[in-house]
Amino acid sequence: MQNRTRALAVAGSAALLGTLMAAAPAPAAPAAPKVASVHGGGTVHYPYVPAADDIRFTVDAESVPWSRPLKGENLEQGLPTDARGRVTVYHAMPEENFTAVAEAEVDCLVTGGRTATVTAVVKSANVDGWVGRRIGLSVQDGERGAPDRFGFSWGIVNVDAKPDGSVAQPTVGTCMAPAPFTEVTKGGFKVTPAPLAPRPKPQPKPQP
């Protein structure tokens, strides 16, 4: 009888252990790396144009680190700020009976907290000289009820002053944009920040 009782106790303990193991949650899979992004659209206030003008931007940008190889030392794998997406610029000018529209392809995105800078190369536009031009944009995702803010690389910034007083508009480098100096008055933008991705391990070169 004693042996039978001991056998039942052992069997009961094994059953309990099996139940606990079955009920225990499976180990969580490693979390996917956070991806930086900017999404949204809005109208901005810009005091240096007539009040009737309507200026809007849409931005859909997502980080794709190390995806745009370049020629140059340490650039063969691209940059940690490489990105993809699309930007639209819309500027209605009733006094001139003209609406400027441009669409651009995102090539760079970097975030810092609730602020991001984005650059994009214009692929189509009804404004002379814009196709092929890189533009820089900055976005600040407002918090605690504060409005979003926006900046762009033309108008009052990015002017190259020459020694003789003449000016030229220089090119915009990747991820280069001014501070978000205008207020978004309608619509809004969502900035998802993420740290810069680590450099990938170099691929072994094929043997001849």
Side-chain angles (χ1 to χ4, degrees), residues 61-79:
E62 184 175 276
S63 178
V64 189
W66 313 106
S67 62
R68 296 175 179 269
L70 298 169
K71 294 180 180 180
E73 187 176 356
N74 297 322
L75 297 177
E76 296 84 357
Q77 294 173 304
L79 297 169

mmCIF file with all atom_site columns, all heavy atoms in Angstrom, residues 61-79:
data_model
loop_
_atom_site.group_PDB
_atom_site.id
_atom_site.type_symbol
_atom_site.label_atom_id
_atom_site.label_alt_id
_atom_site.label_comp_id
_atom_site.label_asym_id
_atom_site.label_entity_id
_atom_site.label_seq_id
_atom_site.pdbx_PDB_ins_code
_atom_site.Cartn_x
_atom_site.Cartn_y
_atom_site.Cartn_z
_atom_site.occupancy
_atom_site.B_iso_or_equiv
_atom_site.pdbx_formal_charge
_atom_site.auth_seq_id
_atom_site.auth_comp_id
_atom_site.auth_asym_id
_atom_site.auth_atom_id
_atom_site.pdbx_PDB_model_num
ATOM 1   N N   . ALA A 1 61 ? 7.332  58.961 -45.356 1.00 0.00 ? 61 ALA A N   1
ATOM 2   C CA  . ALA A 1 61 ? 8.745  58.570 -45.397 1.00 0.00 ? 61 ALA A CA  1
ATOM 3   C C   . ALA A 1 61 ? 9.012  57.488 -44.366 1.00 0.00 ? 61 ALA A C   1
ATOM 4   O O   . ALA A 1 61 ? 8.495  57.550 -43.244 1.00 0.00 ? 61 ALA A O   1
ATOM 5   C CB  . ALA A 1 61 ? 9.637  59.782 -45.131 1.00 0.00 ? 61 ALA A CB  1
ATOM 6   N N   . GLU A 1 62 ? 9.826  56.520 -44.753 1.00 0.00 ? 62 GLU A N   1
ATOM 7   C CA  . GLU A 1 62 ? 10.176 55.413 -43.857 1.00 0.00 ? 62 GLU A CA  1
ATOM 8   C C   . GLU A 1 62 ? 11.648 55.075 -44.016 1.00 0.00 ? 62 GLU A C   1
ATOM 9   O O   . GLU A 1 62 ? 12.169 54.998 -45.131 1.00 0.00 ? 62 GLU A O   1
ATOM 10  C CB  . GLU A 1 62 ? 9.317  54.195 -44.178 1.00 0.00 ? 62 GLU A CB  1
ATOM 11  C CG  . GLU A 1 62 ? 9.534  53.030 -43.228 1.00 0.00 ? 62 GLU A CG  1
ATOM 12  C CD  . GLU A 1 62 ? 8.570  51.894 -43.507 1.00 0.00 ? 62 GLU A CD  1
ATOM 13  O OE1 . GLU A 1 62 ? 7.437  51.936 -43.000 1.00 0.00 ? 62 GLU A OE1 1
ATOM 14  O OE2 . GLU A 1 62 ? 8.953  50.971 -44.258 1.00 0.00 ? 62 GLU A OE2 1
ATOM 15  N N   . SER A 1 63 ? 12.306 54.870 -42.900 1.00 0.00 ? 63 SER A N   1
ATOM 16  C CA  . SER A 1 63 ? 13.732 54.559 -42.916 1.00 0.00 ? 63 SER A CA  1
ATOM 17  C C   . SER A 1 63 ? 13.992 53.174 -43.512 1.00 0.00 ? 63 SER A C   1
ATOM 18  O O   . SER A 1 63 ? 13.302 52.208 -43.187 1.00 0.00 ? 63 SER A O   1
ATOM 19  C CB  . SER A 1 63 ? 14.275 54.620 -41.485 1.00 0.00 ? 63 SER A CB  1
ATOM 20  O OG  . SER A 1 63 ? 15.637 54.283 -41.442 1.00 0.00 ? 63 SER A OG  1
ATOM 21  N N   . VAL A 1 64 ? 14.983 53.105 -44.390 1.00 0.00 ? 64 VAL A N   1
ATOM 22  C CA  . VAL A 1 64 ? 15.467 51.828 -44.950 1.00 0.00 ? 64 VAL A CA  1
ATOM 23  C C   . VAL A 1 64 ? 16.993 51.889 -44.888 1.00 0.00 ? 64 VAL A C   1
ATOM 24  O O   . VAL A 1 64 ? 17.666 52.144 -45.888 1.00 0.00 ? 64 VAL A O   1
ATOM 25  C CB  . VAL A 1 64 ? 14.984 51.607 -46.394 1.00 0.00 ? 64 VAL A CB  1
ATOM 26  C CG1 . VAL A 1 64 ? 15.306 50.190 -46.855 1.00 0.00 ? 64 VAL A CG1 1
ATOM 27  C CG2 . VAL A 1 64 ? 13.497 51.871 -46.538 1.00 0.00 ? 64 VAL A CG2 1
ATOM 28  N N   . PRO A 1 65 ? 17.561 51.668 -43.707 1.00 0.00 ? 65 PRO A N   1
ATOM 29  C CA  . PRO A 1 65 ? 19.013 51.886 -43.526 1.00 0.00 ? 65 PRO A CA  1
ATOM 30  C C   . PRO A 1 65 ? 19.864 51.032 -44.453 1.00 0.00 ? 65 PRO A C   1
ATOM 31  O O   . PRO A 1 65 ? 19.514 49.903 -44.789 1.00 0.00 ? 65 PRO A O   1
ATOM 32  C CB  . PRO A 1 65 ? 19.237 51.490 -42.066 1.00 0.00 ? 65 PRO A CB  1
ATOM 33  C CG  . PRO A 1 65 ? 17.893 51.551 -41.420 1.00 0.00 ? 65 PRO A CG  1
ATOM 34  C CD  . PRO A 1 65 ? 16.915 51.204 -42.485 1.00 0.00 ? 65 PRO A CD  1
ATOM 35  N N   . TRP A 1 66 ? 20.978 51.623 -44.868 1.00 0.00 ? 66 TRP A N   1
ATOM 36  C CA  . TRP A 1 66 ? 22.003 50.909 -45.647 1.00 0.00 ? 66 TRP A CA  1
ATOM 37  C C   . TRP A 1 66 ? 21.439 50.312 -46.938 1.00 0.00 ? 66 TRP A C   1
ATOM 38  O O   . TRP A 1 66 ? 21.771 49.203 -47.317 1.00 0.00 ? 66 TRP A O   1
ATOM 39  C CB  . TRP A 1 66 ? 22.648 49.811 -44.791 1.00 0.00 ? 66 TRP A CB  1
ATOM 40  C CG  . TRP A 1 66 ? 23.042 50.247 -43.425 1.00 0.00 ? 66 TRP A CG  1
ATOM 41  C CD1 . TRP A 1 66 ? 22.417 49.934 -42.254 1.00 0.00 ? 66 TRP A CD1 1
ATOM 42  C CD2 . TRP A 1 66 ? 24.143 51.094 -43.068 1.00 0.00 ? 66 TRP A CD2 1
ATOM 43  N NE1 . TRP A 1 66 ? 23.060 50.528 -41.199 1.00 0.00 ? 66 TRP A NE1 1
ATOM 44  C CE2 . TRP A 1 66 ? 24.120 51.234 -41.660 1.00 0.00 ? 66 TRP A CE2 1
ATOM 45  C CE3 . TRP A 1 66 ? 25.141 51.738 -43.805 1.00 0.00 ? 66 TRP A CE3 1
ATOM 46  C CZ2 . TRP A 1 66 ? 25.052 51.999 -40.982 1.00 0.00 ? 66 TRP A CZ2 1
ATOM 47  C CZ3 . TRP A 1 66 ? 26.072 52.503 -43.118 1.00 0.00 ? 66 TRP A CZ3 1
ATOM 48  C CH2 . TRP A 1 66 ? 26.028 52.625 -41.729 1.00 0.00 ? 66 TRP A CH2 1
ATOM 49  N N   . SER A 1 67 ? 20.586 51.051 -47.618 1.00 0.00 ? 67 SER A N   1
ATOM 50  C CA  . SER A 1 67 ? 19.945 50.510 -48.825 1.00 0.00 ? 67 SER A CA  1
ATOM 51  C C   . SER A 1 67 ? 20.322 51.246 -50.105 1.00 0.00 ? 67 SER A C   1
ATOM 52  O O   . SER A 1 67 ? 19.880 50.855 -51.185 1.00 0.00 ? 67 SER A O   1
ATOM 53  C CB  . SER A 1 67 ? 18.418 50.546 -48.664 1.00 0.00 ? 67 SER A CB  1
ATOM 54  O OG  . SER A 1 67 ? 17.961 51.884 -48.504 1.00 0.00 ? 67 SER A OG  1
ATOM 55  N N   . ARG A 1 68 ? 21.123 52.314 -50.000 1.00 0.00 ? 68 ARG A N   1
ATOM 56  C CA  . ARG A 1 68 ? 21.479 53.098 -51.180 1.00 0.00 ? 68 ARG A CA  1
ATOM 57  C C   . ARG A 1 68 ? 23.001 53.185 -51.295 1.00 0.00 ? 68 ARG A C   1
ATOM 58  O O   . ARG A 1 68 ? 23.614 54.161 -50.853 1.00 0.00 ? 68 ARG A O   1
ATOM 59  C CB  . ARG A 1 68 ? 20.874 54.508 -51.115 1.00 0.00 ? 68 ARG A CB  1
ATOM 60  C CG  . ARG A 1 68 ? 19.353 54.536 -51.136 1.00 0.00 ? 68 ARG A CG  1
ATOM 61  C CD  . ARG A 1 68 ? 18.825 55.955 -50.946 1.00 0.00 ? 68 ARG A CD  1
ATOM 62  N NE  . ARG A 1 68 ? 17.385 56.004 -50.990 1.00 0.00 ? 68 ARG A NE  1
ATOM 63  C CZ  . ARG A 1 68 ? 16.664 56.213 -52.093 1.00 0.00 ? 68 ARG A CZ  1
ATOM 64  N NH1 . ARG A 1 68 ? 17.293 56.418 -53.246 1.00 0.00 ? 68 ARG A NH1 1
ATOM 65  N NH2 . ARG A 1 68 ? 15.349 56.243 -52.051 1.00 0.00 ? 68 ARG A NH2 1
ATOM 66  N N   . PRO A 1 69 ? 23.640 52.179 -51.875 1.00 0.00 ? 69 PRO A N   1
ATOM 67  C CA  . PRO A 1 69 ? 25.106 52.198 -51.999 1.00 0.00 ? 69 PRO A CA  1
ATOM 68  C C   . PRO A 1 69 ? 25.591 53.425 -52.768 1.00 0.00 ? 69 PRO A C   1
ATOM 69  O O   . PRO A 1 69 ? 24.962 53.860 -53.734 1.00 0.00 ? 69 PRO A O   1
ATOM 70  C CB  . PRO A 1 69 ? 25.411 50.905 -52.752 1.00 0.00 ? 69 PRO A CB  1
ATOM 71  C CG  . PRO A 1 69 ? 24.214 50.042 -52.548 1.00 0.00 ? 69 PRO A CG  1
ATOM 72  C CD  . PRO A 1 69 ? 23.045 50.969 -52.456 1.00 0.00 ? 69 PRO A CD  1
ATOM 73  N N   . LEU A 1 70 ? 26.714 53.966 -52.317 1.00 0.00 ? 70 LEU A N   1
ATOM 74  C CA  . LEU A 1 70 ? 27.318 55.126 -52.961 1.00 0.00 ? 70 LEU A CA  1
ATOM 75  C C   . LEU A 1 70 ? 28.782 54.820 -53.270 1.00 0.00 ? 70 LEU A C   1
ATOM 76  O O   . LEU A 1 70 ? 29.388 53.939 -52.653 1.00 0.00 ? 70 LEU A O   1
ATOM 77  C CB  . LEU A 1 70 ? 27.223 56.351 -52.054 1.00 0.00 ? 70 LEU A CB  1
ATOM 78  C CG  . LEU A 1 70 ? 25.818 56.836 -51.693 1.00 0.00 ? 70 LEU A CG  1
ATOM 79  C CD1 . LEU A 1 70 ? 25.889 57.880 -50.585 1.00 0.00 ? 70 LEU A CD1 1
ATOM 80  C CD2 . LEU A 1 70 ? 25.116 57.401 -52.921 1.00 0.00 ? 70 LEU A CD2 1
ATOM 81  N N   . LYS A 1 71 ? 29.329 55.567 -54.187 1.00 0.00 ? 71 LYS A N   1
ATOM 82  C CA  . LYS A 1 71 ? 30.744 55.428 -54.505 1.00 0.00 ? 71 LYS A CA  1
ATOM 83  C C   . LYS A 1 71 ? 31.543 56.330 -53.574 1.00 0.00 ? 71 LYS A C   1
ATOM 84  O O   . LYS A 1 71 ? 31.317 57.522 -53.508 1.00 0.00 ? 71 LYS A O   1
ATOM 85  C CB  . LYS A 1 71 ? 31.001 55.804 -55.968 1.00 0.00 ? 71 LYS A CB  1
ATOM 86  C CG  . LYS A 1 71 ? 30.349 54.865 -56.968 1.00 0.00 ? 71 LYS A CG  1
ATOM 87  C CD  . LYS A 1 71 ? 30.657 55.299 -58.391 1.00 0.00 ? 71 LYS A CD  1
ATOM 88  C CE  . LYS A 1 71 ? 30.009 54.354 -59.402 1.00 0.00 ? 71 LYS A CE  1
ATOM 89  N NZ  . LYS A 1 71 ? 30.292 54.761 -60.807 1.00 0.00 ? 71 LYS A NZ  1
ATOM 90  N N   . GLY A 1 72 ? 32.443 55.740 -52.853 1.00 0.00 ? 72 GLY A N   1
ATOM 91  C CA  . GLY A 1 72 ? 33.256 56.516 -51.922 1.00 0.00 ? 72 GLY A CA  1
ATOM 92  C C   . GLY A 1 72 ? 33.646 55.675 -50.738 1.00 0.00 ? 72 GLY A C   1
ATOM 93  O O   . GLY A 1 72 ? 33.048 54.627 -50.452 1.00 0.00 ? 72 GLY A O   1
ATOM 94  N N   . GLU A 1 73 ? 34.647 56.136 -50.012 1.00 0.00 ? 73 GLU A N   1
ATOM 95  C CA  . GLU A 1 73 ? 35.159 55.390 -48.865 1.00 0.00 ? 73 GLU A CA  1
ATOM 96  C C   . GLU A 1 73 ? 34.088 55.244 -47.794 1.00 0.00 ? 73 GLU A C   1
ATOM 97  O O   . GLU A 1 73 ? 33.453 56.226 -47.391 1.00 0.00 ? 73 GLU A O   1
ATOM 98  C CB  . GLU A 1 73 ? 36.387 56.090 -48.291 1.00 0.00 ? 73 GLU A CB  1
ATOM 99  C CG  . GLU A 1 73 ? 37.093 55.297 -47.209 1.00 0.00 ? 73 GLU A CG  1
ATOM 100 C CD  . GLU A 1 73 ? 38.365 55.978 -46.737 1.00 0.00 ? 73 GLU A CD  1
ATOM 101 O OE1 . GLU A 1 73 ? 38.720 57.028 -47.311 1.00 0.00 ? 73 GLU A OE1 1
ATOM 102 O OE2 . GLU A 1 73 ? 38.987 55.465 -45.806 1.00 0.00 ? 73 GLU A OE2 1
ATOM 103 N N   . ASN A 1 74 ? 33.854 54.023 -47.335 1.00 0.00 ? 74 ASN A N   1
ATOM 104 C CA  . ASN A 1 74 ? 32.883 53.699 -46.296 1.00 0.00 ? 74 ASN A CA  1
ATOM 105 C C   . ASN A 1 74 ? 31.441 54.005 -46.688 1.00 0.00 ? 74 ASN A C   1
ATOM 106 O O   . ASN A 1 74 ? 30.571 54.131 -45.821 1.00 0.00 ? 74 ASN A O   1
ATOM 107 C CB  . ASN A 1 74 ? 33.217 54.436 -44.988 1.00 0.00 ? 74 ASN A CB  1
ATOM 108 C CG  . ASN A 1 74 ? 34.548 54.027 -44.413 1.00 0.00 ? 74 ASN A CG  1
ATOM 109 O OD1 . ASN A 1 74 ? 34.924 52.861 -44.475 1.00 0.00 ? 74 ASN A OD1 1
ATOM 110 N ND2 . ASN A 1 74 ? 35.280 54.989 -43.866 1.00 0.00 ? 74 ASN A ND2 1
ATOM 111 N N   . LEU A 1 75 ? 31.174 54.132 -47.977 1.00 0.00 ? 75 LEU A N   1
ATOM 112 C CA  . LEU A 1 75 ? 29.813 54.419 -48.434 1.00 0.00 ? 75 LEU A CA  1
ATOM 113 C C   . LEU A 1 75 ? 29.227 53.298 -49.290 1.00 0.00 ? 75 LEU A C   1
ATOM 114 O O   . LEU A 1 75 ? 28.111 53.421 -49.781 1.00 0.00 ? 75 LEU A O   1
ATOM 115 C CB  . LEU A 1 75 ? 29.786 55.726 -49.236 1.00 0.00 ? 75 LEU A CB  1
ATOM 116 C CG  . LEU A 1 75 ? 30.183 56.998 -48.486 1.00 0.00 ? 75 LEU A CG  1
ATOM 117 C CD1 . LEU A 1 75 ? 30.187 58.184 -49.437 1.00 0.00 ? 75 LEU A CD1 1
ATOM 118 C CD2 . LEU A 1 75 ? 29.231 57.250 -47.317 1.00 0.00 ? 75 LEU A CD2 1
ATOM 119 N N   . GLU A 1 76 ? 29.999 52.217 -49.440 1.00 0.00 ? 76 GLU A N   1
ATOM 120 C CA  . GLU A 1 76 ? 29.555 51.139 -50.331 1.00 0.00 ? 76 GLU A CA  1
ATOM 121 C C   . GLU A 1 76 ? 28.264 50.481 -49.851 1.00 0.00 ? 76 GLU A C   1
ATOM 122 O O   . GLU A 1 76 ? 27.523 49.901 -50.638 1.00 0.00 ? 76 GLU A O   1
ATOM 123 C CB  . GLU A 1 76 ? 30.643 50.075 -50.465 1.00 0.00 ? 76 GLU A CB  1
ATOM 124 C CG  . GLU A 1 76 ? 31.925 50.561 -51.132 1.00 0.00 ? 76 GLU A CG  1
ATOM 125 C CD  . GLU A 1 76 ? 32.870 51.249 -50.149 1.00 0.00 ? 76 GLU A CD  1
ATOM 126 O OE1 . GLU A 1 76 ? 32.484 51.391 -48.964 1.00 0.00 ? 76 GLU A OE1 1
ATOM 127 O OE2 . GLU A 1 76 ? 33.967 51.658 -50.560 1.00 0.00 ? 76 GLU A OE2 1
ATOM 128 N N   . GLN A 1 77 ? 27.989 50.565 -48.549 1.00 0.00 ? 77 GLN A N   1
ATOM 129 C CA  . GLN A 1 77 ? 26.767 49.972 -48.008 1.00 0.00 ? 77 GLN A CA  1
ATOM 130 C C   . GLN A 1 77 ? 25.646 50.992 -47.862 1.00 0.00 ? 77 GLN A C   1
ATOM 131 O O   . GLN A 1 77 ? 24.555 50.660 -47.400 1.00 0.00 ? 77 GLN A O   1
ATOM 132 C CB  . GLN A 1 77 ? 27.061 49.326 -46.652 1.00 0.00 ? 77 GLN A CB  1
ATOM 133 C CG  . GLN A 1 77 ? 28.005 48.126 -46.743 1.00 0.00 ? 77 GLN A CG  1
ATOM 134 C CD  . GLN A 1 77 ? 28.403 47.628 -45.380 1.00 0.00 ? 77 GLN A CD  1
ATOM 135 O OE1 . GLN A 1 77 ? 28.929 48.375 -44.548 1.00 0.00 ? 77 GLN A OE1 1
ATOM 136 N NE2 . GLN A 1 77 ? 28.173 46.355 -45.130 1.00 0.00 ? 77 GLN A NE2 1
ATOM 137 N N   . GLY A 1 78 ? 25.907 52.223 -48.265 1.00 0.00 ? 78 GLY A N   1
ATOM 138 C CA  . GLY A 1 78 ? 24.911 53.271 -48.104 1.00 0.00 ? 78 GLY A CA  1
ATOM 139 C C   . GLY A 1 78 ? 25.076 53.996 -46.785 1.00 0.00 ? 78 GLY A C   1
ATOM 140 O O   . GLY A 1 78 ? 26.170 54.051 -46.211 1.00 0.00 ? 78 GLY A O   1
ATOM 141 N N   . LEU A 1 79 ? 23.969 54.535 -46.267 1.00 0.00 ? 79 LEU A N   1
ATOM 142 C CA  . LEU A 1 79 ? 23.981 55.325 -45.042 1.00 0.00 ? 79 LEU A CA  1
ATOM 143 C C   . LEU A 1 79 ? 22.914 54.819 -44.075 1.00 0.00 ? 79 LEU A C   1
ATOM 144 O O   . LEU A 1 79 ? 21.889 54.282 -44.508 1.00 0.00 ? 79 LEU A O   1
ATOM 145 C CB  . LEU A 1 79 ? 23.720 56.805 -45.360 1.00 0.00 ? 79 LEU A CB  1
ATOM 146 C CG  . LEU A 1 79 ? 24.750 57.514 -46.244 1.00 0.00 ? 79 LEU A CG  1
ATOM 147 C CD1 . LEU A 1 79 ? 24.210 58.864 -46.693 1.00 0.00 ? 79 LEU A CD1 1
ATOM 148 C CD2 . LEU A 1 79 ? 26.063 57.685 -45.495 1.00 0.00 ? 79 LEU A CD2 1
#
